[in-house]
Each structure stands twice: as C-alpha cells, then as structure tokens.
Amino acid sequence: MKNSIYLSIISLAFAACSGGGDDPKPAENTAPTVPALSFPADNKLCLDNNVSFQWQASTDAEKDAIVYQIQIAKDNAFGQIVNTLDNSSFSTSPLQLDKNTAYYWRVKATDSKGLSSAYSSTFKFHTSGDAVVNHLPFSPELISPTTNAALSTTTASLKWEASDVDTADVLTYDVYFGTTNPPTAKVSENTSSKSFGVTLQPTTQYYWKVVVKDNKGGETVGQVWKFKTN
C-alpha cells in the first residue's frame, strides 16, 4: 500500500515538472516586405517642384501595423538628406523642393514591434526650373565591383550606369582611379563607354569615381566607391 502511494506521488510530481514542455512557443516576428516605389517614377522630370511621393503597401505576416520611413536626398548615397518622413499611409502630402535639382528617394517599412524591412530600391527625379534649357545628368550608379568587394584578380572592369532626363543629351565620362581617397588620377577622359579596365596590385585598397558630362556643358561628380584586393 505504501509503495503504491509513493509511486502515485512520484508520478504526479513528474507530470507536474514535465508538463511545461507542451506549452506552445510564442510566434516569431518577421519584418514587413520591402515597399515598391510608384511615384515619382525613376528618371522622371517633374514639371512642378511641389512633389508628393507614393509607393505600394508592404505586407506583414503577423498583420502588425506598419509605418513607412521616406528619405529624400540630393545624392544617391543619401549623404545629403533633405527630408525624412514617417508615414502610416502609402503617400505623402506635396513637399516643396528646390527647382532644377536632382533628387533621390527610398522607403522602408517598420512594424509595430520595431522590426524593419530593407530600404526599397532608389528612384531619382529632376525638378524643372524657370526657363531651364538643360538639366544636369543624374549621379552615376555603381554596377561593379561592389562596394568593399575583395578581389583575387590582377585586373578589374569598373562598371557603372548613368542617365539624364534630357534623353537627347549625349553622355560622356571621366574616370578617376587610385589608392588615395578621393582619387585624383584621371585614368579615362570623355569616354562614351560605361566601363573601364584597370590593372591591380595585391593587398591594396582602391578608390574610384566617375564624372558624368552631357553635351551641353553640364556635369555631375559621382560619389567615391572602393574595393580591395587580396
């Protein structure tokens, strides 16, 4: 009889200790999807400098409320941010921007638990000015080598992309390349190609930039990009 009582007590104690393992784990939070930009469209010429921004809604697996952060800058590296907005809807009220100026913008989504998506792709547009005949080219966009890439080769092809709202303009490029930041050695001038081959040394940090020029005297100096060799 005593043995039966002891066994019952031990069984109850074991059940009490082991039962907690069946509790469901709390659901893991996931970030919202990356917003998709809508307006102003990429490479657009805005005839009015009062500009509103629109994007497609992100989705959230947990149905959390979403707030969007909009960044507007005068350079595509977002080092010259002119406005940062937080918005719960998919568009902004019109913002008064400078005339005859290139702008770059992007959006990210953050849920109510504080988890954020990556930033969207960057769109660029140009505001028109009073009696402006020519608009400056947009800043060049990096293709390769990617920033902070580590290359194990003795040569590399520097590649970039560039555009201009004046679609009839002919663009040419000056390329600066070297081991100083910023690079001062002009290794190519007035080229129409959007790539340039360079010879590399091992275990070296390299810096390069591109100046975009149109055929009406306008030019835009790009940001400094960097990579290294192993």
Side-chain angles (χ1 to χ4, degrees), residues 111-130:
D111 66 22
S112 56
K113 298 184 180 75
L115 199 58
S116 298
S117 72
Y119 276 107
S120 67
S121 57
T122 298
F123 274 14
K124 52 193 177 294
F125 64 95
H126 212 296
T127 54
S128 187
D130 298 328

Side-chain angles (χ1 to χ4, degrees), residues 53-75:
F53 298 84
Q54 300 172 13
W55 55 93
Q56 297 177 21
S58 298
T59 58
D60 187 273
E62 293 74 39
K63 309 299 182 184
D64 294 333
I66 295 175
V67 172
Y68 300 94
Q69 183 188 84
I70 307 96
Q71 287 189 337
I72 306 155
K74 289 186 177 181
D75 68 310

Side-chain angles (χ1 to χ4, degrees), residues 46-47 99-100 127-132 135:
C46 292
L47 300 180
K99 294 181 178 181
N100 193 31
T127 54
S128 187
D130 298 328
V132 171
H135 301 90

